[in-house]
């Protein structure tokens, strides 16, 4: 088994690492404090051709693979998780459903806008009473003639303020509660976006509430087959979990690197603290867990790229990576001591950002249920 990245992946990794260090990292503290969306960063990523990375060239993408997407997400998250989740959601939740389930006409209409950054990708699934329990969806789309009339509310939706359209789930068959996915332009009459959440972390990312009041869209905006929305978003979430796993690895790597650097500079009892065995053990455990998580994430991405079933591996990598990310960032704060509690040292931001990864795209508890099902329990 060859665990070495291919040459094109190495080139991409170097390009995006340099970009992250020079263009993303320097403003991360300020963006977090001011809750400032990384709009200029996303524009530069578009110029680099990263916003359509895994989509075919005929739609304006770069024709790359999932491993490439993982590399970019990890490197961005290493310096700024808000940028990482913006990018990951744009690809895996915004563009992927349209690419996987859309008609050729829908792909030609919507994917080029996503690939060039004209519209950021978003996906409307979660509702106040329907997150992991998607069967509790209350948003309804009633067919009248050649239109759907949509009413409902969505919450915790990433990137919607910067999306010209998004796919969202709604009940299209009231008798059997069948759920479908429908592409909805965000400038539709009766469609409102509210950006008013006060979050624990990821302050620079865009997290919104959507309100739909008699929103009309053509029936041709149905994404895939009617009643197949439940299956569609399960497949979408599999890809999204790989993105969250990559984010977790990136955040943990950033926290580890800052801790190692700090331990070499911080002097206590007349010597750098990295010379104390207690600190060495912490750093060794952090490095080991990050490497294990990275291997799991890249394996899931490889399986997806090669056409294998990857639901179990996507759930495992997201579960493990998100939990070790919390462990690593917690240890990073501990190694920094009192300084770790201060914003200027950044590890406290990484710890706050890490927590969402144990919740988004399925909580750790839900993922354990998915894995249990996949192994035959």
């Amino acid at each position: 088994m060859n665990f070495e990245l291919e040459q094109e992946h190495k080139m991409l990794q170097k390009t995006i690492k340099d970009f992250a260090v020079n263009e993303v990292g320097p403003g991360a503290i300020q963006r977090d404090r001011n809750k400032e969306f990384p709009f200029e960063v996303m524009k530069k990523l578009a110029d680099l051709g990263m916003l359509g990375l895994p989509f075919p060239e005929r739609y304006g993408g770069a024709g790359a693979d999932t491993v490439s997407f993982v590399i970019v997400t990890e490197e961005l998250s290493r310096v700024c998780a808000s940028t990482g989740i913006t990018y990951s959601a744009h690809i895996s939740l915004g563009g992927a459903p349209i690419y996987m389930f859309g008609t050729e006409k829908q792909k030609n209409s919507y994917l080029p806008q996503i690939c060039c950054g004209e519209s950021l990708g978003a996906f409307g699934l979660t509702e106040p009473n329907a997150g992991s329990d998607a069967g509790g969806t209350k948003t309804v789309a009633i067919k009248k003639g050649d239109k759907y009339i949509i009413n409902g509310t969505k919450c915790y939706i990433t990137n919607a303020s910067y999306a010209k359209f998004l796919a969202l789930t709604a009940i299209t068959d009231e008798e059997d509660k069948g759920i479908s996915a429908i592409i909805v332009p965000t400038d539709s009459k009766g469609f409102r976006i509210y950006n008013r959440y006060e979050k624990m972390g990821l302050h620079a990312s865009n997290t919104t509430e959507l309100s739909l009041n008699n929103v009309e869209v053509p029936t041709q905006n149905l994404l895939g087959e009617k009643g197949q929305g439940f299956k569609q978003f399960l497949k979408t979430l599999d890809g999204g979990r790989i993105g969250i796993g990559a984010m977790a690895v990136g955040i943990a790597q950033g926290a580890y690197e800052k801790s190692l650097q700090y331990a070499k500079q911080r002097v206590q009892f007349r010597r750098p603290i990295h010379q104390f065995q207690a600190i060495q053990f912490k750093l060794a455990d952090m490095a080991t867990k990050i490497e294990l998580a990275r291997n799991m994430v890249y394996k899931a991405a490889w399986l997806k790229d090669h056409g294998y079933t990857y639901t179990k591996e996507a759930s495992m990598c997201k579960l493990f990576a998100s939990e070790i990310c919390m462990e690593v960032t917690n240890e990073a704060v501990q190694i920094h001591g009192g300084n770790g509690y201060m914003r200027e040292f950044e590890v406290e931001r990484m710890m706050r950002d890490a927590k969402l990864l144990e919740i988004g795209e399925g909580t750790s508890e839900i993922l354990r249920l998915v894995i249990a099902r996949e192994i035959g329990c």
Side-chain angles (χ1 to χ4, degrees):
M1 297 177 69
N2 184 5
F3 288 92
E4 187 175 12
L5 290 175
E6 296 180 7
Q7 192 60 38
E8 62 188 58
H9 291 138
K10 290 180 180 179
M11 293 173 61
L12 174 64
Q13 187 178 55
K14 183 182 185 307
T15 298
I16 200 65
K17 181 173 286 189
D18 290 344
F19 176 84
V21 170
N22 296 320
E23 301 289 344
V24 185
I29 294 177
Q30 200 65 24
R31 287 194 299 270
D32 178 72
R33 286 176 176 168
N34 297 338
K35 301 179 181 179
E36 178 186 343
F37 186 77
F39 187 74
E40 291 301 319
V41 170
M42 296 306 291
K43 283 177 59 177
K44 291 177 181 178
L45 283 170
D47 293 339
L48 286 174
M50 297 298 169
L51 295 192
L53 191 64
F55 304 120
E57 294 179 9
R58 64 181 179 274
Y59 304 122
D65 55 13
T66 311
V67 171
S68 299
F69 161 68
V70 163
I71 289 170
V72 175
T73 302
E74 178 184 341
E75 292 301 329
L76 292 175
S77 302
R78 186 171 60 87
V79 297
C80 177
S82 288
T83 302
I85 197 170
T86 300
Y87 179 79
S88 182
H90 168 79
I91 297 287
S92 64
L93 300 182
I98 295 173
Y99 175 61
M100 289 191 292
F101 311 116
T103 64
E104 198 60 31
K105 182 177 180 180
Q106 288 170 340
K107 292 176 186 179
N108 283 314
S109 177
Y110 298 113
L111 282 180
Q113 298 180 63
I114 284 178
C115 291
C116 73
E118 183 180 338
S119 174
L120 290 188
F123 185 60
L125 171 62
T126 306
E127 298 184 9
N129 294 308
S132 300
D133 176 21
T137 296
K138 300 298 183 184
T139 297
V140 295
I142 306 299
K143 185 177 179 181
K144 289 190 176 181
D146 61 352
K147 294 180 180 179
Y148 280 114
I149 312 299
I150 309 174
N151 285 278
T153 301
K154 299 291 181 178
C155 61
Y156 309 142
I157 308 304
T158 303
N159 292 346
S161 296
Y162 301 89
K164 291 191 172 183
F165 53 86
L166 52 80
L168 57 79
T169 53
I171 296 172
T172 49
D173 191 325
E174 292 189 277
E175 290 186 6
D176 62 12
K177 300 297 182 183
I179 297 174
S180 301
I182 303 171
I183 301 171
V184 180
T186 56
D187 63 354
S188 300
K189 182 179 179 181
F191 192 107
R192 297 288 182 271
I193 300 173
Y194 301 99
N195 181 11
R196 54 194 177 192
Y197 290 118
E198 292 292 331
K199 299 181 293 184
M200 174 181 177
L202 296 167
H203 288 164
S205 70
N206 179 243
T207 308
T208 64
E209 179 182 335
L210 311 181
S211 173
L212 296 95
N213 182 21
N214 292 324
V215 173
E216 297 185 9
V217 299
T219 54
Q220 65 186 23
N221 282 27
L222 181 70
L223 185 62
E225 297 180 23
K226 182 181 177 183
Q228 296 299 303
F230 191 86
K231 293 180 180 178
Q232 290 172 5
F233 73 68
L234 286 180
K235 189 171 182 180
T236 299
L237 291 181
D238 282 344
R241 284 164 183 163
I242 295 175
I244 293 290
M247 273 189 67
V249 171
I251 296 171
Q253 182 68 34
Y256 162 75
E257 290 173 357
K258 288 192 175 296
S259 299
L260 180 60
Q261 180 184 28
Y262 182 82
K264 290 180 177 180
Q265 297 173 346
R266 176 64 167 168
V267 175
Q268 290 285 273
F269 306 103
R270 298 181 298 281
R271 54 175 172 162
I273 64 173
H274 79 94
Q275 294 181 7
F276 292 104
Q277 192 175 69
I279 301 300
Q280 291 173 351
F281 282 5
K282 287 182 184 294
L283 291 166
D285 285 345
M286 292 161 75
T288 301
K289 290 174 181 178
I290 292 168
E291 189 62 21
L292 286 170
R294 180 177 288 112
N295 285 337
M296 294 180 77
V297 171
Y298 278 71
K299 178 183 178 181
W302 184 90
L303 289 172
K304 181 182 178 184
D305 285 335
H306 287 79
Y308 293 102
T309 300
Y310 61 96
T311 295
K312 172 168 65 73
E313 287 77 11
S315 298
M316 284 180 168
C317 82
K318 191 272 185 184
L319 171 65
F320 183 74
S322 63
E323 291 190 345
I324 73 98
C325 186
M326 274 306 301
E327 292 180 25
V328 168
T329 54
N330 180 57
E331 290 287 37
V333 172
Q334 195 71 18
I335 289 171
H336 281 72
N339 287 331
Y341 208 65
M342 303 299 142
R343 288 193 170 186
E344 63 184 287
F345 286 84
E346 298 194 79
V347 289
E348 65 82 32
R349 183 188 81 238
M350 294 175 176
M351 185 178 180
R352 287 187 285 107
D353 291 346
K355 187 58 190 175
L356 183 278
L357 307 188
E358 291 186 305
I359 300 170
E361 310 297 324
T363 64
S364 296
E365 293 77 15
I366 291 294
L367 290 177
R368 284 181 167 88
L369 289 175
V370 173
I371 294 165
R373 180 194 65 199
E374 291 295 317
I375 63 176
C377 290

